[in-house]
Amino acid sequence: GNSVTQMEGPVTLSEEAFLTINCTYTATGYPSLFWYVQYPGEGLQLLLKATKADDKGSNKGFEATYRKETTSFHLEKGSVQVSDSAVYFCALYPNTGNQFYFGTGTSLTVIP
Amino acid sequence: NAGVTQTPKFQVLKTGQSMTLQCAQDMNHEYMSWYRQDPGMGLRLIHYSVGAGITDQGEVPNGYNVSRSTTEDFPLRLLSAAPSQTSVYFCASRPTWWSRQETQYFGPGTRLLVL
């Protein structure tokens, strides 16, 4: 079946530190992969996506590369800011079917 | 464009009461869905719809009903509220159900407390 496993949090980093949030998936075929961000009190919004193997999604300094060989889509940012404090969700949309599958979310707190 | 709107933002119910969570989108999206978000469990799909008149169950449909009489609206009904339904509910939409590349657009959520 389809599933997403995400690094457990919470994660606390100092400003300007390097961020990695791990995400691995199980799916048949070639799913599309997404990272969503949820700021406090808000709904989820798309951060970045990749739709085929070796694609790199990027936005607002965040990057993730679709690795078919390791079934991974790790989120990275070189220098985090206090404003990046949020919950991050990894998700997939499978090759066949009609629903998204989400990880459990990783809470990030960036301290000045 | 208002995007995806949800009402109410917050609701307190007593066990056994019923209520409807409203969701509307003004983007002419085919696909709409309802999720619940609980600590440590991420988002779980309750029901979804691939177009007006068509609905289907997700991972956790028990205790909830949906209908899709128009493209714009996708209300979620709690038939007889239970404390286990205390959660944050999100409605989402996307242009089509079949495209792998399209993202979902989420509403701001409804926080429900069942006493």
Side-chain angles (χ1 to χ4, degrees), chain A residues 30 32 36 49 51 93 98, chain B residues 31 37 48 97 100-101 103:
Chain A
Y30 293 87
S32 291
Y36 287 88
K49 68 178 182 181
T51 58
Y93 195 84
N98 50 20
Chain B
Y31 184 97
Q37 182 181 24
Y48 65 95
W97 62 266
R100 291 172 52 245
Q101 303 189 19
T103 184

Side-chain angles (χ1 to χ4, degrees), chain A residues 30-32 34 36 38 41-46 49 51-52 89 93-95 97-100 102-105, chain B residues 31 35 37 40-43 45 48 50 57-59 90 94 97-108:
Chain A
Y30 293 87
S32 291
F34 301 80
Y36 287 88
Q38 183 182 32
E42 298 183 9
L44 281 70
Q45 54 186 275
L46 177 68
K49 68 178 182 181
T51 58
K52 61 183 188 293
F89 291 91
Y93 195 84
N95 207 31
N98 50 20
Q99 59 181 271
F100 278 79
F102 285 86
T104 54
Chain B
Y31 184 97
Y35 295 88
Q37 182 181 24
M41 304 194 74
L43 272 73
L45 183 65
Y48 65 95
V50 299
Q57 296 181 352
E59 180 187 353
F90 288 101
R94 68 198 295 254
W97 62 266
W98 48 264
S99 170
R100 291 172 52 245
Q101 303 189 19
E102 292 165 348
T103 184
Q104 288 193 106
Y105 297 84
F106 284 83

Side-chain angles (χ1 to χ4, degrees), chain A residues 4-111:
Chain A
V4 176
T5 301
Q6 200 175 325
M7 166 179 164
E8 292 210 11
V11 175
T12 302
L13 294 174
S14 297
E15 207 165 21
E16 299 183 2
F18 184 85
L19 168 71
T20 300
I21 301 178
N22 290 338
C23 171
T24 58
Y25 67 89
T26 301
T28 53
Y30 293 87
S32 291
L33 301 172
F34 301 80
W35 276 102
Y36 287 88
V37 59
Q38 183 182 32
Y39 298 106
E42 298 183 9
L44 281 70
Q45 54 186 275
L46 177 68
L47 181 59
L48 53 82
K49 68 178 182 181
T51 58
K52 61 183 188 293
D54 300 324
D55 265 3
K56 178 186 282 189
S58 61
N59 186 25
K60 300 182 181 179
F62 291 89
E63 293 182 342
T65 301
Y66 188 140
R67 301 284 188 204
K68 182 68 177 173
E69 63 276 12
T70 54
T71 62
S72 64
F73 193 54
H74 305 320
L75 183 68
E76 297 182 336
K77 187 175 186 184
S79 176
V80 293
Q81 306 300 313
V82 172
S83 57
D84 294 327
S85 298
V87 181
Y88 293 82
F89 291 91
C90 186
L92 72 82
Y93 195 84
N95 207 31
T96 58
N98 50 20
Q99 59 181 271
F100 278 79
Y101 295 84
F102 285 86
T104 54
T106 302
S107 174
L108 170 67
T109 300
V110 180
I111 54 178

